[in-house]
Amino acid sequence: MKNSLRALTLLLALPATAATLQVQDEKTGQPLATVMLRVFPLKAPALPSSDGGYPPPGQPFQVWREHTVFSDAQGRAELPDEQAGAPQQLRLRKPGYQDLTLPLAQVKSNGVLRLQRETDPLRLAEARPANAWLAALDLGDQARRLHFQTQCTFCHQQGNAFLRRERSEQEWSEAIQRMMRYGSRLSSEDQKALPAILAKGYQALREHPERVGATAPWAPELAQARISEWPVGDAMSQAHDVLLARDGTLYVADNIQDRLWALDPRSGRMTVYKIPHLPGDEPGGLLSARLREFPRHDSTSNAHSLAESPRDGHLFITPSAQRRIVEFDPAKGDFRLHEIGGGFYPHTIRIDAQDRVWFTLALSNQVGMLDRSSGQFKRYDLPARGFGERMTTRYIGALYWLMRHGLPLTNWLKVDRAGTGTPLPYGIEVTPDGRVWFARLHTDEIGVIDPRTDEVRMIATPFKGPRRLRADAQGRLWIAAFPESAVVCYDPASGRFTRYDLPVLPKGSDTPYSLNVDKARGVVWVNGNQSDSLYALEIASGRWTQYPLPRRVAFTRDVEIAPDGSVYTSTSSFPSWHVEDGQPTLIHLQPR
């Protein structure tokens, strides 16, 4: 409250119209540009919770919307006109300054707010996003760093406040074994070495916070940006992937609670649909050991990735813990489950112009296809890196069955840094010519399937960890180079790869999980899931813009492009209680 009183010139009630504020440096009185101003409920309204803590299926309800704007070069910012029924508060945030939070009712129209510079080295470091801590963490050598970033940052951040706290070597060892059950393929060598490295490394950073480097300054273009957020799920959810349907509805797949959240962003009305559980489905599905120690879940499917049919608007969802594809009819609000008949871990999904549903089968080293006209599935076996890998991928389901029934394979099966045994076909995309492209994370390859001939061809990438990929209007592939803090463009016509390093500081410290291409405007949007940001690359100029997101620990893993050029994403950390406020959100970023 002392900061609030010192920061305000006058304390008056906010009128019904928009408030224009000016933000200044408290010491110098100079205007402060690129200050983030977030308006959100003083106390978040309770959502319906009659279905095991979640809203009852199929019954629409109203959700609140949060707003974030940025100050311009003169330190001015205009708060939105929309006022929620519940009391609101305003938080101001800018790197190098102390946060200021106060009830919105105390803010005067055309008033002045003043921020204090932060001078304490520890508090400066604590306010920096995870990528700054990850970059400062001494892991010994670059090969280990790339492997660590590939295997230890794809569910949650490394370096956020939850990870920085003091842990013993034994605690780190136990955490690593738990992560192995969740799906990490950290090498056996690093499983032994990293507990001591992480315990000492994070301790050194806590004791010497000046080693945590500064991040990139926020850009002047932010003054034009607007961000809206809506709550989706709770601290026990995982809002994995997001899809913007043609009718403007937003869908989010809750991986841990087997729910599909549907939002009309124009009205703020949300509806939850529950993915059916079949008789015999175990809690956690075919990967029940993965969630054995998770505090609360309601999942036998692990809803993952979404795609919309161009023919009838039905949604298709990959349930990574089952051998099936989920179909959802938005008009009727009901589901149909399609049994694949084989394969393991359906992952990313896309639909081609012939209404064929394509998806990767990550753990059985396959690409699958559902032909909707016949209702038949087809699976394409991908090349293995030797006899042992061929056997592992063929019998991966049996190995997971043994793990489900108490055999701790992850504790004694040797794992190397190449991920031998799990080549991991991951992202998938259909280019305008009808060919199907995919990325294989652990083999540093992309591949292509020609549906006319069923030919499969693999192409080595000149970078580590290709994760998800999308096509632009010319049919070029844009690929997230996950551990290398870059995106790479591959031109099938020339066979040429062109690299674009993210504009992140410290350099090389982000792990771009996914991306999408605004084909109409020639912009690539990238998830900066270690830096609490989204990045936009203008293809023609090669110019980057970084957009910080309102919440810390804003781990995102998908981007959707709206017709007007704005974008949607969701905070998707696993676990979600890492995110600031413990509330996952659906995010709408309007860059201009």
Side-chain angles (χ1 to χ4, degrees), residues 35-40 64-70 78-80 82 91 218 221-230 525 532-534 546-551 554 556 566-571 585-592:
V35 175
M36 176 189 288
L37 298 94
R38 173 186 166 212
V39 179
F40 59 108
W64 72 89
R65 178 167 63 165
E66 300 179 7
H67 298 276
T68 297
V69 297
F70 296 85
E78 185 171 297
L79 300 183
E82 178 181 318
R91 189 205 65 205
W218 290 356
E221 292 90 341
L222 293 179
Q224 305 172 39
R226 301 289 182 271
I227 300 175
S228 299
E229 292 184 274
W230 299 267
W525 287 90
D532 303 341
S533 62
L534 290 177
Q546 183 175 0
Y547 294 91
L549 297 176
R551 280 173 163 79
T556 63
S566 62
V567 297
Y568 291 93
T569 189
S570 59
T571 47
T585 58
L586 234 173
I587 301 168
H588 183 207
L589 167 61
Q590 297 169 280
R592 291 178 177 83

Side-chain angles (χ1 to χ4, degrees), residues 255-401:
N255 185 267
I256 305 301
Q257 304 301 336
D258 270 5
R259 283 163 170 82
L260 184 66
W261 299 74
L263 171 72
D264 181 348
R266 296 151 295 198
S267 67
R269 299 286 284 175
M270 183 173 275
T271 309
V272 176
Y273 302 94
K274 198 168 181 179
I275 297 174
H277 297 172
L278 297 184
D281 286 353
E282 295 183 41
L286 302 178
L287 302 168
S288 56
R290 174 176 178 255
L291 297 176
R292 188 173 61 207
E293 298 176 11
F294 197 75
R296 173 171 58 82
H297 74 88
D298 183 19
S299 177
T300 67
S301 295
N302 294 175
H304 195 279
S305 180
L306 308 99
E308 182 183 22
S309 165
R311 186 186 73 190
D312 55 16
H314 286 199
L315 305 189
F316 287 81
I317 307 166
T318 46
S320 55
Q322 293 294 341
R323 289 186 170 106
R324 62 178 68 125
I325 294 295
V326 177
E327 180 179 357
F328 175 70
D329 181 348
K332 297 180 180 179
D334 59 16
F335 292 89
R336 179 183 176 189
L337 305 183
H338 301 267
E339 299 297 333
I340 299 171
F344 205 75
Y345 208 100
H347 196 279
T348 307
I349 191 166
R350 302 286 180 256
I351 302 178
D352 68 15
Q354 283 72 48
D355 209 33
R356 294 174 295 193
V357 182
W358 294 87
F359 52 94
T360 47
L361 287 156
L363 292 180
S364 56
N365 193 31
Q366 295 170 309
V367 168
M369 185 268 286
L370 167 62
D371 187 335
R372 295 190 69 197
S373 63
S374 66
Q376 299 298 307
F377 281 95
K378 185 173 187 175
R379 297 195 305 276
Y380 294 81
D381 294 326
L382 304 181
R385 292 173 290 181
F387 177 78
E389 183 164 275
R390 191 175 302 112
M391 292 298 102
T392 300
T393 55
R394 178 175 297 177
Y395 298 109
I396 192 74
L399 294 175
Y400 271 88
W401 185 91

Side-chain angles (χ1 to χ4, degrees), residues 139 141-152 464 482-485 508:
L139 295 174
D141 59 65
Q142 182 65 4
R144 174 173 284 141
R145 175 172 294 279
L146 289 176
H147 181 60
F148 178 77
Q149 291 181 180
T150 301
Q151 298 301 333
C152 299
K464 294 284 185 183
F482 181 65
E484 295 199 10
S485 199

Side-chain angles (χ1 to χ4, degrees), residues 10 28 61 75 87 179 186 271 363 368 468:
L10 294 171
T28 67
F61 57 96
M179 297 306 106
L186 191 68
T271 309
L363 292 180
R468 283 184 165 175

